[in-house]
Amino acid sequence: MFRVRKTCLKMMAKRGYIVDEASLAMTTDEFKQRFGENPARESLLILVEKADDATDQLFIFFPTSDKVGVLPIKTYCQRMVLENVTRAIIVVKENLTPFAKLAVKEMAGRGYRIEYFRDAELLVDITEHKLVPEHIVLSAEEKKQLLQRYRLKPTQLPRILVHDPVARYLGLSIGQVVKIVRPSETAGRYVTYRICT
């Protein structure tokens, strides 16, 4: 759980949310002191806000059951509505039930974005792997400038799927553009752009 929580905090920092430095630098011993030897998953709850927009907040929930059903999803959604938070990540042990996935889609229709990751997906920070190049999410203004500079339509950009592991990690939405910087033996670095589809 220590590694999963740490990866969640790193992921939030890379998405532009304010993350407590002490939490990021926490050691396993400090984690055990704060949460116990076998921490209750509910006690690991995280609430973060965007650095440039205090109204943009995100919850990270850690449900206890192996397969998460509709009931916990509804409970989380009620809390999101009460606290006026429109984004959440649910970290599950195994998976969501089909009905829970439907509930997540239903909430998306109402303007609430809920993502879910399995514990196993968050044991390692994939962006720190040597084979994963640096990904930088462009703002709407930067995207507009890129398209104007190269006289492109968004459909002419190479694609990155919304289900791609790095796209999920960065929380990309359909239509967002990501800048990918790879090391190159001849040019020093090689830059490409991809649009999320």
Side-chain angles (χ1 to χ4, degrees):
M1 284 315 301
F2 166 73
R3 286 166 60 194
V4 169
R5 187 172 187 275
K6 190 164 192 153
T7 302
C8 286
L9 291 170
K10 287 180 185 176
M11 180 166 55
M12 291 304 98
K14 286 182 181 154
R15 288 187 185 192
Y17 288 91
I18 300 169
V19 177
D20 179 33
E21 288 296 322
S23 296
L24 271 175
M26 187 183 286
T27 64
T28 48
D29 292 332
E30 291 168 345
F31 180 81
K32 286 176 188 171
Q33 284 176 353
R34 184 169 170 194
F35 297 106
E37 191 70 42
N38 293 312
R41 287 177 69 93
E42 279 91 18
S43 68
L44 301 174
L45 173 83
I46 300 170
L47 174 62
V48 289
E49 67 181 42
K50 265 273 168 77
D52 56 356
D53 181 9
T55 58
D56 185 355
Q57 296 181 316
L58 183 141
F59 270 119
I60 302 180
F61 297 108
F62 296 86
T64 51
S65 50
D66 287 349
K67 268 202 141 192
V68 177
V70 176
L71 235 77
I73 300 290
K74 285 189 175 175
T75 308
Y76 298 147
C77 291
Q78 286 169 352
R79 181 160 182 190
M80 288 168 71
V81 171
L82 277 172
E83 298 194 28
N84 200 22
V85 176
T86 57
R87 298 174 67 108
I89 292 175
I90 300 172
V91 181
V92 295
K93 288 181 185 176
E94 303 272 320
N95 215 338
L96 296 180
T97 63
F99 289 115
K101 287 179 184 174
L102 279 174
V104 166
K105 278 186 183 170
E106 185 184 308
M107 286 307 286
R110 289 202 242 151
Y112 292 90
R113 183 169 176 190
I114 301 172
E115 304 167 62
Y116 55 91
F117 291 87
R118 292 187 334 267
D119 282 352
E121 293 175 300
L122 296 173
L123 285 173
V124 178
D125 184 346
I126 58 169
T127 60
E128 292 176 353
H129 194 283
K130 68 177 184 178
L131 294 177
V132 177
E134 182 184 8
H135 287 66
I136 303 159
V137 182
L138 300 185
S139 66
E141 185 58 36
E142 290 170 327
K143 174 185 172 183
K144 185 179 164 189
Q145 288 172 0
L146 171 79
L147 295 174
Q148 284 176 346
R149 186 179 338 133
Y150 295 110
R151 295 189 182 123
L152 295 171
K153 295 181 185 126
T155 53
Q156 293 175 304
L157 285 170
R159 296 181 185 94
I160 184 170
L161 295 177
V162 76
H163 302 294
D164 182 273
V166 176
R168 288 183 64 217
Y169 183 92
L170 294 173
L172 292 181
S173 303
I174 290 173
Q176 277 189 298
V177 174
V178 68
K179 175 182 179 180
I180 302 169
V181 182
R182 291 182 172 86
S184 166
E185 287 180 17
T186 54
R189 60 186 212 135
Y190 172 66
V191 177
T192 56
Y193 297 90
R194 290 181 179 236
I195 190 163
C196 187
T197 57

